[in-house]
Amino acid sequence: MTQERYGRIVLLRHGETAWSISGQHTGRTDLPLTFNGEDQAREAGERLRKRFPDGFLPDHIFVSPLERAQSTARLAGFPNYHVTAQIAEWDYGAAEGRTRAMMAQALGVQSWNVWDNGPLELPEDLQGEHNEMLPDGTVVHVVNGPGESAEEAAHRTATLLESLEPIVAGGDDVLCVAHAHILRLLTTVWLGQPADFARHLELDTAHFAILGFHNDEHVIQAWNL
């Protein structure tokens, strides 16, 4: 099979939320898009249609179950899709809803990031549940559970990639609409890299990346468009 006959896997991150502005870790908390995030999603759809004028078949569009991802898909012009928990955001556990600075203060350390000290390494006394009000008055329920490791989150994406393989091998493109960390972890699986490699990838709100092939090898064809 020649390179030109392969399809591509397009990864679209959702638009802006209140916590993407504040820097709070946003895993399973079901935040809505901000008004700016809604505009970002529409603009992302326009950029995608320029890059992929033939679009994507509804059967080849996969979206996280979280509302910020589904809203982004709809506003970008893709109202028909499959919902899959395989690309729900990484479960940050006790770090959910907390910034890096808040985590460092809670742990009594100078600095903290999720790549160095993942959710499974955090103390149980940081777990619990509470409600939090967003700047627009929306109340969200925050669950600080045990979380999952980066490797466990990456494994979830691997199961999706297995199902996508025959689609792209047949020459059709696929669109996945989800979240920054889980899409970065999916990329590490595509490249055959350890989950920790995802720390070196950055994907901005409502930006997309393209995974594909070069000489039958899995590659990143474009990033953060």
Side-chain angles (χ1 to χ4, degrees):
M1 184 177 291
T2 64
Q3 178 190 345
E4 290 75 15
R5 292 183 58 192
Y6 285 128
R8 295 154 294 184
I9 300 175
V10 182
L11 311 177
L12 173 62
R13 182 185 175 187
H14 64 76
E16 178 191 86
T17 69
W19 284 6
S20 66
I21 297 172
S22 64
Q24 291 167 261
H25 287 82
T26 319
R28 303 303 176 82
T29 308
D30 214 4
L31 270 68
L33 298 178
T34 63
F35 289 129
N36 184 52
E38 293 176 352
D39 288 339
Q40 288 180 339
R42 296 184 187 97
E43 292 167 1
E46 294 174 3
R47 298 197 308 276
L48 279 169
R49 279 184 287 278
K50 288 180 180 177
R51 190 76 180 237
F52 298 90
D54 293 333
F56 305 89
L57 295 174
D59 284 347
H60 298 166
I61 302 175
F62 300 85
V63 182
S64 160
L66 295 163
E67 179 56 32
R68 59 190 183 274
Q70 294 194 50
S71 292
T72 297
R74 292 190 296 267
L75 291 167
F78 308 103
N80 301 310
Y81 48 78
H82 292 288
V83 175
T84 173
Q86 294 162 306
I87 49 175
E89 181 59 298
W90 184 3
D91 187 343
Y92 299 118
E96 180 75 10
R98 295 176 165 122
T99 65
R100 286 187 177 192
M102 291 166 67
M103 289 300 300
Q105 183 178 19
L107 296 169
V109 296
Q110 195 165 28
S111 63
W112 179 90
N113 80 70
V114 72
W115 297 110
D116 292 334
N117 303 102
L120 300 187
E121 300 177 35
L122 298 175
E124 288 188 13
D125 60 9
L126 291 180
Q127 295 181 22
E129 299 184 29
H130 68 277
N131 290 329
E132 182 168 329
M133 182 177 292
L134 304 180
D136 68 356
T138 301
V139 176
V140 294
H141 187 64
V142 184
V143 177
N144 295 112
E148 63 182 339
S149 69
E151 290 74 18
E152 288 169 335
H155 179 71
R156 284 195 284 110
T157 73
T159 60
L160 176 61
L161 285 174
E162 288 174 6
S163 67
L164 300 185
E165 186 173 350
I167 298 174
V168 296
D172 288 335
D173 295 327
V174 171
L175 175 63
C176 296
V177 186
H179 317 271
H181 275 143
I182 201 66
L183 293 177
R184 291 158 65 184
L185 287 165
L186 181 152
T187 301
T188 67
V189 176
W190 179 256
L191 298 176
Q193 296 295 318
D196 184 67
F197 182 77
R199 71 164 72 217
H200 302 295
L201 303 171
E202 182 178 6
L203 190 58
D204 296 329
T205 52
H207 280 59
F208 65 90
I210 304 171
L211 308 182
F213 294 85
H214 180 72
N215 295 330
D216 297 331
E217 298 288 342
H218 289 193
V219 299
I220 297 174
Q221 291 187 347
W223 192 263
N224 213 29
L225 300 175

